[in-house]
Amino acid sequence: MIDTIVIIPGIMGSRLIDTTTRKNVWGARRIGALKTAGNVLDKWAAGRLADLAVTDEERDGGAKRLAPDGLIKEPAWGPTFRMNFGYRQLADELGRLVLHPDALLEFGYDWRLSVEHNGRLLAEAIDRHLAAWRQHPALAEWRRARHDTAEPRVVLVAHSMGGLVAQAAGLQAGALDAVSRVITIGTPFRGSVDAVTMLNSGRSSVGLPVGHARELAVTLPGLHDLLPTYRCLFTGDDLVALDPETVAALGGDGELARESFARHARLAAVRLPGLINLAGTHQPTDVCFRVDAGVLHAKRHGYERDETGKLVRDAVTGGFIPMKLHGDGTVQWQSARLGDATGYVQKHGALQATTSLIRNVQAQIEGRALGEGLGGRAGIGVELPEYAPAGTVTTARVSGARAAGDFSCVVKGLDDVVLEYPSVRRDGDEYVLDITLDRPGIHVLEVSNGVEPIRDTVVAFDAADRAAL
């Protein structure tokens, strides 16, 4: 094909370098750099976070202290948003579709800044990339050989926050005129409760301090652009939308929140050409939350409403009726789509590295029928702690399986070496996996019900890691 493809990664999915020293500030180039918990958690120690925090001079994108340096191809980890399994497979497979490697653009961007700022840069990059490709010798040769004068167009493939950047590019007049299709993968069009959690939470569920991560988060316009815009705050008698004052009270920046909510109102008017939504399903996902004494308590369900929009009470108990919802563990299903979507039973950070999803992206680009998603209605859900002490046994929970024989599970290192086949026991309607964390580092759990495995991670930390944070 003669069209060009632009890959737009999600938050934390682009390497960032210091423009003066050219040293790497964010994003490991090698898997080996993430093999031990010390290396992982040290990224979030105060000294490193000071480099990533956005200054007042940087908020509007004017200062150029840090610069993007390509996509993160290898796995990368961060608190709350957890493991991103990288973009190597996606880039390699999409690279096979284009006429020449120069027709593929990997759009790295400074994810710390607003999606509107990065959308402007994307619009400019699309113009430059397409203009250069239209003058490329490989395209000229193709035209001569086929006596064809067809003009190439652009396909945008965006993961997570990258879909919002693509949407923001549409705020620029004519920016999407040459775009034939936009394919989004787990994009939080209506935000994610995890963004509020990162702003509010100073400690993990196991007591590991992540306050430094919160100190970084409050400075990031890009993170505020991931705040939920739907009604997510449970007040006791209703679900209401966030406002800047509430965000500030929860630990965020009220002015950044105000700018973000206004930005989302403008983004709602943008039409993405040929839009295809691919989204994660069946995974336990925070949907709404209540606040007690300034502390967020997330809920993994919504509430039923009547035709007037009011919450419905149970006729017997008088309580509100919960409505089971799901997503990819980070972005709830309803937030990840504008219209119809194809579902994949997978975690947020592994969606873009899922083979069946990539095959469907290729099919769409080539004009073939979009296949079914991964897992379908028989999908299973996986829940795993974010952190746990090394030398202990932690537990994962599997939902949606009728019997233990319906799924298999294995724990691996980032180098794909098998560490353990966990024991499985039943607990009500779910199954519990006992995982032995015999050494510090990232442990990858793979759970499969006959199709591609769902992948999630737990960071095993030791005493030194705890002290460092």
Side-chain angles (χ1 to χ4, degrees), residues 36-376:
T36 67
N39 284 336
V40 173
L41 299 180
D42 181 57
K43 289 286 185 183
W44 299 98
R48 298 289 182 89
L49 292 185
D51 292 335
L52 284 171
V54 174
T55 64
D56 290 342
E57 294 75 22
E58 290 179 291
R59 278 194 177 189
D60 62 359
K64 305 296 182 183
R65 184 175 60 87
L66 301 184
D69 187 37
L71 308 190
I72 291 179
K73 298 294 182 69
E74 308 299 346
W77 179 91
T80 305
F81 293 105
R82 305 175 69 145
M83 180 63 74
N84 179 323
F85 281 91
Y87 297 93
R88 182 173 300 283
Q89 183 181 0
L90 180 65
D92 288 350
E93 294 297 330
L94 295 187
R96 302 180 199 281
L97 299 184
V98 293
L99 184 62
H100 187 278
D102 291 345
L104 178 69
L105 173 63
E106 299 175 2
F107 179 73
Y109 62 93
D110 188 343
W111 41 264
R112 303 173 309 142
L113 305 181
S114 76
V115 297
E116 188 165 7
H117 166 76
N118 287 307
R120 286 193 294 270
L121 298 181
L122 174 61
E124 295 169 2
I126 291 172
D127 283 346
R128 290 193 305 270
H129 177 62
L130 185 58
W133 175 239
R134 284 174 170 167
Q135 300 301 317
H136 199 282
L139 179 60
E141 182 179 347
W142 181 91
R143 284 171 165 163
R144 283 194 301 270
R146 291 163 177 78
H147 305 287
D148 193 328
T149 59
E151 287 292 337
R153 293 175 65 77
V154 181
V155 176
L156 305 183
V157 179
H159 174 235
S160 189
M161 184 187 196
L164 296 178
V165 174
Q167 194 177 30
L171 294 173
Q172 308 301 309
L176 301 181
D177 288 353
V179 174
S180 62
R181 185 169 298 286
V182 178
I183 302 174
T184 64
I185 305 169
T187 290
F189 289 107
R190 298 177 182 88
S192 168
V193 169
D194 278 6
V196 194
T197 299
M198 194 166 182
L199 290 169
N200 179 254
S201 177
R203 301 186 71 86
S204 74
S205 59
V206 296
L208 183 68
V210 290
H212 295 312
R214 183 178 60 179
E215 292 169 7
L216 166 65
V218 71
T219 73
L220 303 182
L223 182 76
H224 287 75
D225 280 340
L226 302 180
L227 289 169
T229 57
Y230 62 91
R231 293 187 287 186
C232 61
L233 173 59
F234 184 61
T235 62
D237 58 4
D238 200 2
L239 280 172
V240 300
L242 291 173
D243 57 35
E245 292 72 27
T246 302
V247 172
L250 287 169
D253 184 297
E255 185 55 35
L256 288 181
R258 191 182 320 280
E259 293 171 358
S260 175
F261 293 148
R263 185 175 298 121
H264 275 277
R266 297 194 300 275
L267 291 178
V270 174
R271 176 187 171 275
L272 294 173
L275 178 62
I276 294 290
N277 297 141
L278 309 177
T281 68
H282 290 81
Q283 306 312 300
T285 304
D286 292 342
V287 175
C288 63
F289 60 91
R290 61 181 174 84
V291 178
D292 289 334
V295 178
L296 179 151
H297 299 272
K299 299 174 179 289
R300 292 182 168 175
H301 58 76
Y303 293 95
E304 291 189 11
R305 293 181 178 275
D306 61 21
E307 61 277 4
T308 68
K310 293 182 179 179
L311 298 184
V312 177
R313 291 185 180 273
D314 185 280
V316 177
T317 66
F320 295 117
I321 302 175
M323 179 174 59
K324 186 176 181 181
L325 298 171
H326 55 78
D328 61 18
T330 297
V331 182
Q332 65 139 317
W333 171 255
Q334 286 81 358
S335 180
R337 59 197 184 99
L338 296 177
D340 295 334
T342 299
Y344 292 81
V345 182
Q346 187 58 276
K347 294 290 186 176
H348 183 76
L351 279 168
Q352 80 286 357
T354 297
T355 299
S356 60
L357 184 147
I358 294 173
R359 293 287 179 263
N360 275 348
V361 171
Q362 290 175 310
Q364 278 296 306
I365 293 174
E366 294 182 319
R368 295 183 280 115
L370 182 68
E372 295 182 358
L374 172 64

Side-chain angles (χ1 to χ4, degrees), residues 370-386:
L370 182 68
E372 295 182 358
L374 172 64
R377 294 183 181 274
I380 55 178
V382 176
E383 186 172 11
L384 185 63
E386 186 172 358

